[in-house]
Amino acid sequence: MSITASPLTWPPGWRRTDPLKWEIGRFGIRRRSAGRSYASLEDISIAEATTRLLDELERMAVRRQDVILSTNLKLRRDGFPLSAQAAPRDPGAAVYWKDPYNGQPRSMAIDRYTKVEQNIAALAATIEAMRAIERHGGAVVLERAFTGFAALPAPIVAGMKRDWQVVLGLQALLLPTAADVREAYRRLASAYHPDRGGDPAKMAELNAARDEALKELEK
């Protein structure tokens, strides 16, 4: 998988959020204006959210050169999102980094909120919460948790049902259509069909994924 800072590279195995379920984020920055005795909460900017995320990763000893923040935003010269630009249609954000202790690739993605900066800030907040596990003596728990964020396709485990978007390779699409499902099915069936030397188990999984997808999309 080729990972790019822009456009958005969505990690394999991560389900996209239905746009109808997007929420307005509430991550902000507290600022005290001149002449006021209190600080007001203002919207966080793209630059501030990015800095917050990089700072959290840095606290885990992750070097900035080992981080890719992937969005649909235009980039600064340093490869991170540029502020003061039009909001993209897809506000999702994904972060990829190399584990500083074992060198394993990690990834995390969020598209719950309507603005990119809110999703970036949510990534930072999630990593901050996971770091708290380590501070309270849960280093092994933290390692097991981050193992779930390996930047690799999820393995096929016997008896475990995979999401149809993952089976059909459509997890990167924000709103896959029935036409997308049929096209992906035709492409994969040519490789998985037993009559062509494919794997019967994979073909059965592909058939089930197609049926489930069309049932969901055409209801």
Side-chain angles (χ1 to χ4, degrees):
M1 180 182 70
S2 178
I3 301 170
T4 61
S6 182
L8 172 65
T9 302
W10 194 256
W14 288 72
R15 183 75 180 266
R16 298 305 308 263
T17 301
D18 186 331
L20 295 176
K21 296 181 180 179
W22 286 348
E23 301 176 18
I24 297 175
R26 292 178 172 80
F27 294 99
I29 295 289
R30 291 198 175 277
R31 293 189 178 89
R32 180 168 294 175
S33 302
R36 293 184 178 179
S37 59
Y38 61 90
S40 59
L41 185 65
E42 299 181 7
D43 289 343
I44 194 168
S45 70
I46 292 169
E48 290 163 339
T50 299
T51 297
R52 188 177 290 184
L53 173 61
L54 293 174
D55 286 348
E56 287 301 327
L57 288 168
E58 197 171 77
R59 292 184 181 104
M60 295 197 310
V62 178
R63 302 180 304 172
R64 295 197 177 201
Q65 57 264 41
D66 292 330
V67 177
I68 297 177
L69 175 55
S70 185
T71 69
N72 285 314
L73 295 170
K74 296 178 182 178
L75 304 177
R76 307 183 311 216
R77 289 185 178 181
D78 63 359
F80 290 103
L82 180 69
S83 286
Q85 59 179 294
R89 177 174 172 269
D90 181 352
V95 62
Y96 298 81
W97 72 94
K98 183 190 297 183
D99 191 300
Y101 302 108
N102 57 28
Q104 292 297 311
R106 304 297 190 199
S107 66
M108 185 182 295
I110 294 178
D111 63 351
R112 177 180 178 180
Y113 301 108
T114 56
K115 293 183 177 181
V116 180
E117 53 266 39
Q118 291 292 321
N119 287 316
I120 296 174
L123 288 170
T126 302
I127 292 174
E128 180 184 20
M130 296 187 74
R131 284 198 310 105
I133 297 173
E134 186 176 35
R135 290 199 300 271
H136 293 292
V140 175
V141 175
L142 181 66
E143 172 57 27
R144 289 181 178 177
F146 272 121
T147 297
F149 297 122
L152 299 169
I156 299 176
V157 179
M160 184 181 74
K161 182 176 180 293
R162 296 195 297 166
D163 187 273
W164 63 261
Q165 285 186 267
V166 175
V167 176
L168 292 164
L170 299 175
Q171 66 270 28
L173 295 183
L174 187 61
L175 286 173
T177 65
D180 293 325
V181 169
R182 292 189 175 93
E183 174 60 29
Y185 175 83
R186 284 193 293 269
R187 174 172 47 81
L188 293 172
S190 65
Y192 293 164
H193 201 286
D195 291 347
R196 300 183 181 182
D199 186 332
K202 288 186 177 180
M203 190 66 207
E205 182 185 38
L206 183 64
N207 286 334
R210 176 202 57 189
D211 294 344
E212 182 182 355
L214 293 177
K215 181 179 179 181
E216 179 179 323
L217 295 173
E218 295 182 335
K219 63 182 178 181

